[in-house]
Amino acid sequence: MRIAFLGTGQMGAAIAALLIKNGHSLTVWNRTQYRLQPLVEQGATAAATPAEAVKTSEVIFSMPMDDAALEDTVFGSDGLLEALPKDAVHVSLSTISVQLSQKLMVEHATRNRAFVAAPVFGRPNVAAEGRLWVVTAGKQEALEKVKPLLECFSRGITVVGDKPYKAHALKIGGNFLITAMIASLSEGFVYAESQSIDPALYIEAVNAALFQSPFYTAYAKVMLLPPETPGSTIALGQKDTRLFREAAAATNTKTPLADYFQDQLQQASDAGLRDRDWASGYYQFVRSISHRSS
């Protein structure tokens, strides 16, 4: 299938590489052009603009990092929307606001173009292994067209319905639970240290006894053995928590725990941890304030 892939950061590059590996023809674009070279070496064609990338494509994947970048990719000068072929499907893989997802749904429908939301759960290393979990929503015909492609890089797919914004809403809600897990693990590890218990032994015992979750195991490893390159950052955690609070506020729903997390993440960012790994950076922050208060 002829595919355009727009946004080749760590996650996007890993997914695009799997699509190439599965025999698809890719045209790739990224605001930072040098990031395209590894994909070009694998057989992709580089495009100078989003419009150029999509003009002959059957499916367009977009994965810029935030709302502003995606809006520019879609609606900006040489954006993808006006160049989208009639029968093509635009699939948004990014974690974006519910509000922007609703806008994209309307703007595509106005032009009689197909739009599917398919944000993913997982870090770049999970993407490279083809083991992401995809949450998707859109019209049935469009979903059927893109599902084989989603299966190239996922271990499972959840279909939320025919309104794309619901998939983005679910993804934001899932990321809130990741934040809650990171926060509770951080404080639990600090508690274990205060009792002269090895945090690795602490989570091994508690996870085996209570949660039996590979997710807890994976995040604990990241927190206790920080990666050289962050899978995601404190700044991205701030963004996702803000999106969760904004979506809830739009329906007059109170989120006191998310409000607390937003404050903690802001403090961590102010402490110079903005670009640190989301999980290990938060743990570092909790340790610092615990030791400071003692």
Side-chain angles (χ1 to χ4, degrees):
M1 190 175 289
R2 298 187 309 279
I3 299 170
F5 204 104
L6 314 178
T8 58
Q10 289 186 69
M11 288 287 285
I15 293 171
L18 285 174
L19 292 169
I20 294 170
K21 187 176 180 180
N22 277 269
H24 298 288
S25 174
L26 257 68
T27 300
V28 293
W29 172 86
N30 194 67
R31 286 188 297 177
T32 308
Q33 288 284 302
Y34 77 86
R35 288 185 177 274
L36 300 177
Q37 189 56 37
L39 293 171
V40 170
E41 291 172 359
Q42 295 172 58
T45 300
T49 66
E52 179 185 328
V54 309
K55 62 184 180 181
T56 61
S57 298
E58 300 168 82
V59 173
I60 293 87
F61 287 107
S62 62
M63 206 172 195
M65 69 177 297
D66 56 26
D67 279 26
L70 181 56
E71 286 210 71
D72 187 55
T73 301
V74 175
F75 302 111
S77 176
D78 291 319
L80 74 88
L81 189 55
E82 297 304 332
L84 201 62
K86 183 178 180 180
D87 296 325
V89 181
H90 173 205
V91 184
S92 172
L93 300 176
S94 303
T95 301
I96 59 171
S97 69
V98 171
Q99 181 182 24
L100 177 55
S101 187
Q102 290 170 333
K103 177 180 177 180
L104 290 168
M105 182 177 68
V106 170
E107 294 295 338
H108 282 73
T110 298
R111 294 164 176 80
N112 197 29
R113 297 295 187 269
F115 175 60
V116 168
V120 299
F121 285 112
R123 288 183 162 223
N125 63 306
V126 178
E129 295 167 0
R131 298 185 64 255
L132 295 169
W133 194 278
V134 180
V135 181
T136 189
K139 297 297 184 182
Q140 186 63 34
E141 183 178 352
L143 289 176
E144 290 176 356
K145 183 173 183 176
V146 303
K147 185 179 178 183
L149 301 177
L150 301 179
E151 290 172 343
C152 290
F153 53 84
S154 70
R155 71 182 191 278
I157 299 171
T158 298
V159 179
V160 188
D162 63 356
K163 293 182 171 57
Y165 78 87
K166 290 188 176 183
H168 285 122
L170 195 155
K171 175 58 165 58
I172 293 166
N175 282 10
F176 164 73
L177 294 182
I178 294 174
T179 304
M181 179 190 67
I182 290 170
S184 62
L185 280 175
S186 294
E187 196 157 321
F189 287 167
V190 168
Y191 166 78
E193 291 169 344
S194 76
Q195 304 301 309
S196 300
I197 299 170
D198 180 0
L201 177 63
Y202 166 77
I203 187 57
E204 180 183 350
V206 172
N207 193 30
L210 301 179
F211 305 121
Q212 301 174 26
S213 168
F215 208 58
Y216 270 78
T217 299
Y219 267 79
K221 182 178 179 180
V222 169
M223 294 167 73
L224 297 174
L225 300 170
E228 290 186 15
T229 303
S232 56
T233 62
I234 290 286
L236 286 175
Q238 285 182 278
K239 181 207 77 170
D240 290 346
T241 303
R242 173 178 55 79
L243 296 181
F244 178 85
R245 294 172 69 228
E246 288 175 353
T251 60
N252 296 314
T253 302
K254 303 297 183 184
T255 56
L257 194 54
D259 296 346
Y260 169 76
F261 292 150
Q262 189 72 49
D263 179 68
Q264 293 292 94
L265 288 164
Q266 183 60 56
Q267 289 188 47
S269 181
D270 292 343
L273 301 173
R274 184 178 186 278
D275 296 321
R276 297 291 181 87
D277 185 90
W278 184 4
S280 60
Y282 194 98
Y283 175 38
Q284 181 181 341
F285 168 71
V286 171
R287 291 185 79 194
S288 70
I289 60 175
S290 174
H291 295 156
R292 186 169 66 241
S293 62
S294 62

